[in-house]
């Protein structure tokens, strides 16, 4: 007998007929000998309707009252599903988040789960009942009994958290698509179904706008080793398994707010190559990295900053043994990238820097926590360490620094994030665990044939740029600390490679992306402090799109980035920014070209299947 948690989204329970179909599926699962907890969302567009009602009453409704209002949507569903199960002869009981014992922060509309009191839940399960739980909600404490909601995707988060607390055998997420696809089937009908995907890959895709799973749910699954499967509500197809390494012992207290950083990593065997003043037009990155790929040069980080005039800078890191080859390739292609408008003045320049190190913090607890990156930058500033490059992802923030400063940087980060230095045996175990996060049967094949697992598009971001930021320790800490204080989460962070000395002070531009909802307020806040801190102009662009490829198999395959850039070049799509991590490459393009960019990249990596998926209305 297995203990299973199932979650059904709003589309799956959008009508009486669909609720009855869910009841039949649940009943069948119980009759197969399983114990079941079912987490449900509000029916169909109920939540949207409630939000509309609130906005008709008030243009800025009180967040506490919004939680009180929105939590009613799930209560309708749990009662109806329990009735449907009882009609089938299956004992069932409906429970709100508070009745289940989901205790959260006292933060209305975006609370995080602290812990789950499982006593009552376990008693009902042992009595043979199906427990039907209202997703998306909890209570601030037994004393206050304030109803709280978890924010967007909260029912996914509820389900996986309950599975972790009960130590369930697995958690099933039922939705309106057959599993996790290589991209959004609404944009590419031939998107292909994946049999499995790692938690790290899924974290990136979910955070990039893939709406099948919420990142917070994947974060919990990764941290607690919850086997997770995404399946269709309309078929019995096996769906997609989301796999994770065997977790280290982690307390179920402070479930979502426990230590966000698990590891501090470093690599001193690195060098940086920068190509300055290349033309800002389609095809430049494709040409550069196409040649790099043909010469079998494996690149680690790639950074392209915002344009300055008609030119841009591209920088990348490589391991020290192949630096000479990387430098030779870059120097050979630089003259061919010279601007035709003013060749002499705008000639591309190659800059090589030895003796650098990459230092990273890693952990699945960074999602939606703007203070984590800011804390890393503040720690480096306190240690007097200047940051040369920054790379961010959902599970890692990396900084390129001077190699001579690596030891003290690592020590400072371990102290700041309370990470103990690991023994050689523990480092070996970590390496083995990272390997085991892949599907053991298909991983070798995937690395060769499908290094890219999925393509995602995010049309909901805005880009902020600060010109002429002083290039000295503490500037990134100040900037991102201010954003964290205003609860503004940052995604991509790009620091330009071109340095200008103004009034005796070396300065660089820095650009980053935030949610469109935060764009205007972030610009206003930063503009107010820019003059006081000696910063230049703050520029906002809301008409951008971020298109990304994700895949663990990209490691060690230099041609992947080149293929992505070439796909965009063939469509005459200009790349405005580039940022990479070990398993992700993201490009910022014009918003109007976002969908075309996604479709071109999906086709370039031959990710389409023979079957077309139609998403139910």
């Amino acid at each position: 007998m297995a203990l299973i948690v199932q979650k059904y989204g709003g589309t799956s329970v959008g009508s009486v007929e669909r609720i009855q179909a869910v009841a039949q599926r649940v009943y069948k699962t119980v009759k197969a000998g399983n114990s079941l907890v079912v987490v449900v969302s509000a029916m169909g567009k109920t939540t949207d309707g409630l939000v509309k009602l609130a906005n008709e009453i008030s243009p800025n409704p009180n967040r506490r009252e919004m939680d009180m209002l929105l939590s009613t949507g799930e209560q309708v569903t749990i009662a109806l599903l329990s009735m449907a199960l009882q009609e089938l002869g299956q004992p069932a009981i409906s429970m709100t988040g508070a009745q289940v014992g989901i205790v959260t922060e006292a933060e209305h509309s975006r609370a995080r789960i602290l812990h789950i009191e499982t006593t009552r839940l376990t008693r009902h399960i042992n009595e043979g009942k199906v427990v039907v739980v209202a997703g998306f909600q909890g209570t601030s404490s037994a004393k206050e009994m304030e109803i709280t909601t978890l924010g967007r995707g909260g029912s996914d988060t509820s389900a996986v958290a309950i599975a972790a607390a009960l130590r369930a055998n697995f958690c099933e997420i039922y939705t309106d698509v057959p599993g996790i696809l290589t991209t959004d089937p609404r944009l590419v009908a031939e998107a292909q179904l994946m049999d499995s995907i790692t938690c790290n890959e899924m974290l990136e895709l979910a955070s990039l706008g893939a709406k099948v799973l919420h990142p917070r749910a994947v974060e919990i699954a990764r941290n607690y080793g919850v086997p997770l499967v995404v399946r269709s509500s309309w078929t019995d197809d096996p769906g997609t398994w989301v796999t994770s390494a065997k977790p280290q012992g982690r307390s179920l207290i402070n479930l979502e707010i426990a230590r966000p950083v698990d590891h501090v990593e470093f690599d001193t065997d690195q060098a940086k190559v920068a190509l300055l003043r290349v033309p800002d037009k389609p095809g430049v990155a494709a040409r550069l990295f196409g040649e790099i790929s043909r010469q079998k040069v494996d690149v680690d980080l790639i950074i392209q900053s915002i344009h300055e005039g008609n030119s841009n800078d591209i920088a990348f890191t490589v391991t020290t043994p192949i630096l000479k080859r990387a430098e030779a390739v870059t120097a050979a292609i630089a003259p061919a990238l010279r601007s035709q408008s003013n060749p002499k003045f705008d000639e591309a320049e190659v800059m090589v820097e030895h003796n650098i190190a990459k230092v990273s913090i890693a952990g699945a607890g960074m999602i939606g926590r703007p203070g984590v990156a800011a804390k890393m930058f503040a720690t480096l500033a306190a240690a007097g360490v200047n940051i040369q490059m920054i790379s961010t992802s959902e599970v890692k923030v990396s900084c390129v620094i001077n190699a001579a400063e690596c030891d003290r940087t690592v020590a400072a980060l371990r102290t700041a994030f309370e990470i103990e230095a690991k023994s050689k045996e523990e480092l070996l175990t970590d390496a083995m665990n990272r390997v085991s996060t892949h599907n053991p049967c298909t991983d070798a094949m995937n690395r060769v044939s499908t290094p890219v697992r999925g393509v995602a598009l995010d049309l909901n971001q805005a880009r902020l740029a600060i010109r002429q930021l002083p290039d000295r320790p503490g500037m990134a800490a100040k900037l991102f600390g201010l954003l964290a204080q205003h609860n503004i989460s940052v995604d991509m962070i790009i620091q330009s490679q071109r340095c200008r000395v103004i009034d005796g002070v070396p300065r660089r531009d820095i650009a980053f992306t935030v949610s469109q909802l935060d764009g205007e307020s972030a610009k206003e806040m930063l503009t107010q402090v820019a003059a006081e801190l000696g910063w230049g102009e703050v520029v906002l662009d809301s008409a951008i799109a971020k298109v990304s490829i994700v895949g663990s198999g990209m490691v060690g395959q230099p041609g992947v980035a080149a293929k992505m850039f070439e796909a965009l070049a063939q469509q005459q799509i200009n790349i405005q920014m580039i940022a990479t991590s070990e398993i992700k490459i993201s490009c910022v393009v014009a918003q109007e070209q976002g969908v075309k960019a996604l479709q071109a990249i999906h086709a370039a990596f031959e990710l389409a299947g023979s079957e077309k998926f139609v998403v139910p209305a």
Side-chain angles (χ1 to χ4, degrees):
M1 180 194 298
L3 173 57
I4 303 170
V5 176
Q6 293 183 343
K7 178 263 176 177
Y8 294 89
T11 308
S12 304
V13 292
S15 65
V16 168
E17 292 75 19
R18 288 182 176 180
I19 288 174
Q20 289 172 328
V22 168
Q24 288 285 354
R25 186 186 289 272
V26 171
Y27 181 70
K28 180 180 176 182
T29 304
V30 174
K31 289 305 173 187
N34 303 296
S35 297
L36 217 57
V37 175
V38 180
V39 177
V40 293
S41 299
M43 295 175 64
K45 301 293 184 180
T46 298
T47 301
D48 292 341
L50 293 173
V51 170
K52 184 179 178 181
L53 284 173
N55 289 333
E56 288 174 2
I57 296 290
S58 168
N60 187 27
N62 178 276
R63 284 168 54 190
R64 178 191 182 276
E65 302 309 327
M66 282 299 291
D67 276 2
M68 188 69 75
L69 175 66
L70 298 183
S71 64
T72 63
E74 281 71 22
Q75 288 179 229
V76 173
T77 316
I78 59 174
L80 292 175
L81 181 55
S82 293
M83 293 175 192
L85 286 166
Q86 290 163 9
E87 284 298 304
L88 294 174
Q90 171 58 48
I93 184 170
S94 61
M95 298 177 73
T96 66
Q99 289 172 320
V100 167
I102 298 177
V103 180
T104 74
E105 301 170 302
E107 184 74 40
H108 290 292
S109 80
R110 53 175 181 236
R112 289 182 177 269
I113 297 172
L114 299 179
H115 63 277
I116 301 176
E117 302 283 356
T118 58
T119 305
R120 186 176 180 187
L121 196 56
T122 303
R123 173 163 53 82
H124 288 308
I125 294 170
N126 292 338
E127 290 170 354
K129 297 175 185 174
V130 170
V131 184
V132 184
V133 178
F136 175 67
Q137 62 180 246
T139 182
S140 60
S141 69
K143 181 179 179 181
E144 297 293 334
M145 290 299 290
E146 285 289 318
I147 292 175
T148 54
T149 62
L150 309 182
R152 189 178 68 84
S155 291
D156 287 353
T157 306
S158 300
V160 181
I162 289 171
L166 291 174
R167 293 181 169 82
N169 294 86
F170 54 90
C171 179
E172 298 177 318
I173 305 291
Y174 284 91
T175 183
D176 53 6
V177 291
I180 298 165
L181 304 174
T182 51
T183 196
D184 187 342
R186 298 167 184 84
L187 302 178
V188 181
E190 299 82 8
Q192 190 171 350
L193 180 67
M194 290 183 265
D195 294 331
S196 68
I197 187 171
T198 69
C199 268
N200 281 355
E201 291 170 328
M202 191 65 237
L203 271 173
E204 298 288 5
L205 286 173
S207 301
L208 291 166
K211 297 171 184 173
V212 179
L213 270 175
H214 195 273
R216 282 170 61 185
V218 184
E219 173 188 354
I220 297 169
R222 179 186 186 271
N223 285 340
Y224 293 93
V226 177
L228 194 58
V229 61
V230 179
R231 303 179 64 186
S232 170
S233 298
W234 326 114
T235 71
D236 290 324
D237 293 342
T240 305
W241 283 91
V242 182
T243 63
S244 57
K246 184 179 179 181
Q248 300 173 353
R250 184 183 283 262
S251 172
L252 288 163
I253 303 298
N254 292 332
L255 193 144
E256 275 201 279
I257 65 167
R259 190 174 66 200
V261 174
D262 296 322
H263 308 291
V264 175
E265 303 169 357
F266 63 94
D267 182 359
T268 55
D269 191 24
Q270 293 231 332
K272 179 175 71 176
V273 179
L275 196 55
L276 308 184
R277 294 186 295 279
V278 297
D280 183 40
K281 63 182 183 181
V284 171
R287 193 166 182 180
L288 171 61
F289 288 97
E291 188 59 34
I292 286 173
S293 171
R294 283 188 285 276
Q295 298 300 324
K296 306 298 183 185
V297 175
D298 190 18
V299 172
D300 184 4
L301 301 181
I302 302 173
I303 299 293
Q304 178 181 303
S305 56
I306 54 170
H307 68 88
E308 184 173 334
N310 295 319
S311 68
N312 217 320
D313 304 334
I314 301 177
F316 57 92
T317 61
V318 295
T319 57
T320 304
I322 61 171
L323 173 60
K324 288 189 180 299
R325 193 152 31 113
E327 185 179 358
V329 173
T330 309
I333 201 171
L337 298 178
R338 181 181 302 173
S339 171
Q340 298 303 308
S341 59
N342 192 345
K344 186 174 181 180
F345 181 77
D346 288 328
E347 184 175 355
E349 175 189 351
V350 179
M351 182 176 70
V352 177
E353 188 159 350
H354 305 262
N355 303 318
I356 64 167
K358 182 177 72 172
V359 179
S360 310
I361 55 172
M366 300 181 190
I367 299 168
R369 300 190 206 183
V372 177
K375 185 175 181 178
M376 179 185 191
F377 302 150
T379 301
L380 268 61
V385 176
N386 199 33
I387 300 170
Q388 300 180 26
M389 295 173 72
I390 300 170
S391 172
T392 59
S393 77
E394 285 305 326
V395 295
K396 187 175 288 189
V397 180
S398 299
C399 293
V400 171
I401 62 171
N402 189 305
E405 300 172 324
C406 183
D407 287 348
R408 80 167 188 271
T409 300
V410 170
L413 289 172
R414 283 175 175 158
T415 299
F417 290 101
E418 300 177 4
I419 306 294
E420 292 183 8
K422 294 195 172 187
S423 66
K424 291 182 179 179
E425 291 76 12
E426 288 173 318
L427 290 170
L428 179 60
T429 300
D430 283 349
M432 294 175 67
N433 279 339
R434 284 195 290 272
V435 172
S436 71
T437 60
H438 305 288
N439 184 320
C441 299
T442 61
D443 186 51
M445 178 183 69
N446 284 340
R447 283 184 175 275
V448 174
S449 60
T450 56
V452 174
R453 306 300 311 283
V455 185
L457 175 66
D458 191 343
L459 295 169
N460 298 310
Q461 291 205 339
R463 178 181 61 213
L464 283 150
I466 301 178
R467 299 291 188 181
Q468 300 174 9
L469 200 74
D471 185 31
R472 58 173 179 252
M475 283 296 102
K478 176 69 72 175
L479 169 58
F480 295 104
L482 283 168
L483 292 166
Q485 288 171 23
H486 288 77
N487 203 35
I488 296 173
S489 292
V490 175
D491 184 16
M492 295 172 67
I493 301 173
I494 308 291
Q495 183 172 271
S496 71
Q497 295 304 298
R498 208 178 308 186
C499 185
R500 278 192 166 79
V501 178
I502 301 175
D503 297 330
V505 179
R507 296 174 180 271
R508 298 181 191 272
D509 297 341
I510 193 164
F512 53 93
T513 59
V514 298
S515 164
Q516 278 184 353
L517 295 174
D518 291 327
E520 287 291 349
S521 59
K523 180 187 176 184
E524 183 179 345
M525 181 268 292
L526 294 173
T527 300
Q528 289 174 356
V529 301
E532 175 190 340
L533 296 172
W535 300 348
E537 182 186 10
V538 180
V539 183
L540 172 66
D541 184 358
S542 297
I544 65 165
K546 184 178 73 172
V547 63
S548 307
I549 57 175
V550 173
S552 297
M554 293 195 296
V555 178
Q557 297 213 31
V560 175
K563 182 179 284 191
M564 179 183 188
F565 302 152
E566 179 60 31
L568 295 174
Q570 287 178 0
Q571 298 297 318
Q572 288 298 298
I573 296 173
N574 194 36
I575 300 172
Q576 300 180 18
M577 292 168 66
I578 302 170
T580 68
S581 70
E582 283 89 342
I583 65 170
K584 179 179 73 174
I585 302 173
S586 294
C587 295
V588 169
V589 300
Q591 190 176 63
E592 62 189 23
Q593 296 180 308
V595 173
K596 184 166 72 170
L598 175 136
Q599 292 169 342
I601 293 167
H602 194 271
F605 286 100
E606 302 178 356
L607 295 177
S610 56
E611 182 181 355
K612 290 189 177 183
F613 292 106
V614 178
V615 180

